[in-house]
Structure formats: structure tokens, C-alpha cells
């Protein structure tokens, strides 16, 4: 590749990385603002109906892992251990993202979403010892696990990564 071509590739990669950092920061900021609003205006375990019978804001704290796993279990140093596990996952995802080609935009977008969500929930674990969850989806007497903006970003990122892994959107030449 010519020096001019290499410079163009480097500029494009830098622009892509800047966009990923900006998207990550925006998601973390929105996540932290929504959690702060819930902590300030919705008492713990109170519910505010948004769409009657479908969607509520319910202030709960998740001291466990994803989907409330280990939420009801207490053991020594639980907040520190879960924060350490979350930090290790964050480092692993960041390492994988750094090694993902700039040409793999869908994968990089998914990783950006996952990293942003991981950072948002890690902040809660480090500062408060638990994660604030508040989106409560209801169908009759059934409640989905309460979640937050960070959880939504992680879920959307994982789905995006799965779509990328299945090869959706990739064009394969049919010429011989």
C-alpha cells in the first residue's frame, strides 16, 4: 500500500476510534444520569407506572450479577469480588475490541455497546456496592428482571455481536 493509502487508513481508524469512545462515553453518561434520577426521585422498592400494566419504573438494587444471579446470596467481600469479576470482564472485552479490525464495524459497534454497559454497571458496583435497576416490564402478573440503560447496551451489543458472527450483512461473491 502506498504511503498516502496508509495515511488514509490510519485517519479512518482514528476517526472510528474517536466515534467509539464518544458513543461509549455518551452511553455511560446517560446510564449514570438515569440511575441518579431514580436514586433521587424514586424511593427504594417503590414503583412509578409509566404505561399501566406494561412498563414501570421500579427502584431496585442488584447486589448480584446479571439477571440478579447471587442477588440473595451474601458472602464475605461480595461487592469487591463482583466488582473484580466485572473489571476483569471489562479488561477482556477491551482487549478483544482493541484486536478487532477496523473493517469489522458491526463487531466493533457491538463491542462498544458491551463496553459502555460494563463501565456503567462497574461504576455502580465500585461506588455503591450494587447496581441500580429500574426498568420494570410487566405482562399481567409476570415481571421481567428489572434492568437499566447499561444492561440494555450490553444486551444490544451481544445481539449485534451474534448477528456479526452469523455473517449477516456480509456479501460473498458468487463469481467463479
Amino acid at each position: 500500500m502506498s504511503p498516502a493509502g496508509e495515511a488514509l487508513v490510519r485517519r479512518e481508524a482514528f476517526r472510528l476510534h474517536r466515534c467509539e469512545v464518544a458513543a461509549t462515553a455518551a452511553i455511560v453518561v446517560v446510564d449514570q444520569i438515569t440511575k441518579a434520577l431514580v436514586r433521587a426521585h424514586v424511593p427504594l422498592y417503590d414503583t412509578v407506572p409509566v404505561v399501566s400494566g406494561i412498563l414501570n419504573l421500579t427502584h431496585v438494587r442488584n447486589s448480584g450479577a446479571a439477571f440478579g444471579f447471587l442477588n440473595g446470596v451474601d458472602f464475605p467481600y461480595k461487592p469487591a469480588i463482583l466488582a473484580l469479576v466485572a473489571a476483569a470482564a471489562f479488561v477482556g472485552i477491551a482487549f478483544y475490541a482493541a484486536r478487532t479490525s477496523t473493517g469489522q464495524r458491526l463487531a466493533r459497534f457491538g463491542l462498544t455497546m458491551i463496553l459502555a454497559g460494563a463501565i456503567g454497571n462497574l461504576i455502580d458496583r465500585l461506588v455503591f456496592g450494587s447496581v441500580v435497576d429500574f426498568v420494570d416490564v410487566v405482562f399481567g402478573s409476570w415481571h421481567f428482571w428489572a434492568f437499566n440503560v447499561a444492561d440494555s447496551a450490553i444486551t444490544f451489543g451481544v445481539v449485534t455481536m451474534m448477528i456479526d458472527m452469523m455473517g449477516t450483512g456480509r456479501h460473498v461473491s458468487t463469481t467463479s
Side-chain angles (χ1 to χ4, degrees):
M1 182 179 289
S2 71
E6 288 177 10
L8 181 63
V9 168
R10 279 195 307 274
R11 277 196 306 272
E12 180 65 23
F14 180 72
R15 191 176 80 209
L16 179 62
H17 294 311
R18 249 190 1 226
C19 289
E20 291 167 349
V21 169
T24 299
I27 292 166
V28 170
V29 166
V30 169
D31 176 64
Q32 290 301 302
I33 288 172
T34 57
K35 289 172 180 174
L37 288 170
V38 168
R39 281 191 303 272
H41 299 290
V42 181
L44 190 59
Y45 305 116
D46 270 10
T47 296
V48 177
V50 176
V51 178
S52 184
I54 297 174
L55 180 66
N56 300 319
L57 294 180
T58 302
H59 183 175
V60 295
R61 301 284 174 99
N62 180 1
S63 65
F67 303 112
F69 180 67
L70 298 177
N71 198 28
V73 179
D74 287 323
F75 52 88
Y77 309 108
K78 177 181 172 182
I81 291 169
L82 288 175
L84 186 62
V85 169
F90 166 76
V91 169
I93 294 165
F95 181 75
Y96 180 68
R99 299 181 59 95
T100 302
S101 163
T102 56
Q104 293 178 278
R105 290 183 183 224
L106 191 59
R108 292 186 67 83
F109 176 75
L111 288 166
T112 296
M113 300 294 287
I114 293 167
L115 281 172
I119 292 168
N121 283 340
L122 181 58
I123 290 169
D124 277 23
R125 289 195 189 289
L126 293 173
V127 174
F128 302 107
S130 62
V131 175
V132 172
D133 288 329
F134 57 90
V135 180
D136 182 20
V137 178
V138 181
F139 294 105
S141 63
W142 180 82
H143 286 257
F144 190 72
W145 295 279
F147 59 95
N148 57 44
V149 172
D151 297 336
S152 298
I154 291 168
T155 302
F156 191 73
V158 168
V159 169
T160 302
M161 292 292 298
M162 290 185 335
I163 290 169
D164 180 67
M165 288 177 195
M166 289 186 298
T168 303
R170 294 189 185 148
H171 301 286
V172 178
S173 175
T174 57
T175 60
S176 300

